[in-house]
Amino acid sequence: MGMISEIQAWELTDTNRDWLIHRPVEIAIYVALAVVLRFALHRGIDRMSKPRKSPNAKVNERRSQRARTIGSVLKSTVSIVILVWCVLQILGILGINVAPFIASAGVIGLAIGFGAQNLVRDFLSGIFMLLEDQYGVGDVVDLGDAVGTVETVGLRVTTIRDANGTLWYCRNGEILRVGNMSQGYATAVLDLPIAHNANVHKACEVATRAVLEAAESEPIRADMIDKPETLGVNSVTAEAITIRVTAQVKPGRQWAVQRAFARSALTAFEEQGIEAPYLPVLR
């Protein structure tokens, strides 16, 4: 009888040892491994998403925000995956069957996916937009209903400030097309109308000299990529003959260059007697 009591006490001691020592140690090991793994992956994401420095402050701001957004998404994904893995391992150590939890999580995820389709679409569109670098902070873009300068870029919403100062909030999932006027290079296009009785050849020569002088002046010179070119007569209508001048310029500077070209060309037309439309009628 005494031997049986000693065996039962020994078995009870083993059980206590399992619950008080072995399993807590295993749980602590998994928790420590999860913390270390999360820290290492976050450090790796920070290094990979660190933007390269550029002399252009606007480019730096754009790269920094893009890197922060992408890094935040990756960090959140990594943290959630590690947390779920750690919790499932702990439940397994405690002897709890995790299969029902996994099945329930799948059903809940499916329900959330159906109930928040627009939100999921916004996030997915924002992720692909960031990865493809379709636009960034400071770019002048045409998103269909909103045209203006990008102020913030998020995973769900992009904010656009238009020429009137209105701030537009555009959901990424609703953006069907993007026209970016600030990537690579831009083209300054200037249409100069003249009267029908004006000398077209002389007008083209005067316009060419005027825009070349404007292109060499400060601060327009810094915006030029290539010399301006007079393409000649672009259209003939009942009201006027239109001469077109184009030039490749730095992105976002096409409007300033167009204004400088227009001022110089119109001044030269007035000095050389190139008549504008409707003047003969008014006289």
Side-chain angles (χ1 to χ4, degrees):
M1 189 72 179
M3 184 178 295
I4 296 175
S5 300
E6 290 179 0
I7 294 174
Q8 290 178 347
W10 177 256
E11 291 177 351
L12 182 62
T13 304
D14 286 343
T15 303
N16 290 339
R17 185 183 296 111
D18 181 44
W19 280 98
L20 296 177
I21 300 177
H22 293 165
R23 297 195 183 193
V25 168
E26 290 182 17
I27 292 174
I29 291 174
Y30 276 110
V31 171
L33 182 60
V35 171
V36 172
L37 187 61
R38 178 181 178 275
F39 176 78
L41 291 177
H42 279 207
R43 288 291 299 271
I45 292 172
D46 288 336
R47 291 184 178 181
M48 288 189 298
S49 61
K50 186 177 182 180
R52 294 175 297 175
K53 295 297 182 180
S54 172
N56 192 324
K58 184 184 294 186
V59 173
N60 282 333
E61 182 181 3
R62 170 178 176 167
R63 289 177 177 175
S64 297
Q65 183 167 17
R66 180 169 174 258
R68 285 196 303 269
T69 306
I70 295 176
S72 175
V73 173
L74 294 177
K75 287 181 179 179
S76 299
T77 304
V78 166
S79 297
I80 292 173
V81 171
I82 292 177
L83 177 62
V84 171
W85 170 78
C86 185
V87 170
L88 291 178
Q89 294 297 329
I90 292 174
L91 292 177
I93 293 173
L94 296 177
I96 300 175
N97 186 9
V98 298
F101 290 97
I102 297 176
S104 301
V107 174
I108 294 174
L110 187 62
I112 293 175
F114 278 111
Q117 294 183 45
N118 291 333
L119 184 62
V120 173
R121 184 173 62 177
D122 292 341
F123 273 93
L124 290 177
S125 299
I127 290 173
F128 281 109
M129 179 272 299
L130 288 169
L131 293 176
E132 295 169 1
D133 195 20
Q134 296 178 11
Y135 54 82
V137 174
D139 285 355
V140 180
V141 297
D142 181 354
L143 302 184
D145 294 331
V147 180
T149 304
V150 178
E151 290 204 348
T152 60
V153 178
L155 286 179
R156 195 181 70 85
V157 173
T158 297
T159 59
I160 306 291
R161 181 82 63 177
D162 66 13
N164 297 323
T166 304
L167 186 64
W168 294 85
Y169 292 85
C170 305
R171 287 173 45 197
N172 294 329
E174 298 295 328
I175 299 175
L176 302 180
R177 63 175 179 82
V178 177
N180 195 325
M181 302 172 227
S182 302
Q183 279 187 344
Y185 69 90
T187 302
V189 180
L190 177 64
D191 289 329
L192 298 169
I194 60 175
H196 286 89
N197 60 347
N199 189 324
V200 176
H201 296 288
K202 181 180 178 181
C204 290
E205 293 176 358
V206 172
T208 301
R209 290 196 301 268
V211 296
L212 285 174
E213 291 177 0
E216 293 297 326
S217 63
E218 296 293 343
I220 300 301
R221 180 190 300 178
D223 298 327
M224 303 300 299
I225 295 178
D226 199 0
K227 290 184 178 181
E229 180 182 3
T230 302
L231 303 182
V233 176
N234 184 63
S235 65
V236 179
T237 64
E239 292 80 16
I241 298 174
T242 303
I243 298 173
R244 173 161 291 187
V245 179
T246 63
Q248 283 191 5
V249 299
K250 293 181 178 179
R253 296 298 299 167
Q254 59 267 40
W255 300 285
V257 173
Q258 287 172 195
R259 289 191 292 268
F261 283 0
R263 181 174 62 249
S264 180
L266 293 177
T267 301
F269 280 180
E270 184 178 358
E271 293 174 353
Q272 296 297 324
I274 306 296
E275 293 183 340
Y278 307 114
L279 286 182
V281 178
L282 294 176
R283 290 177 184 172

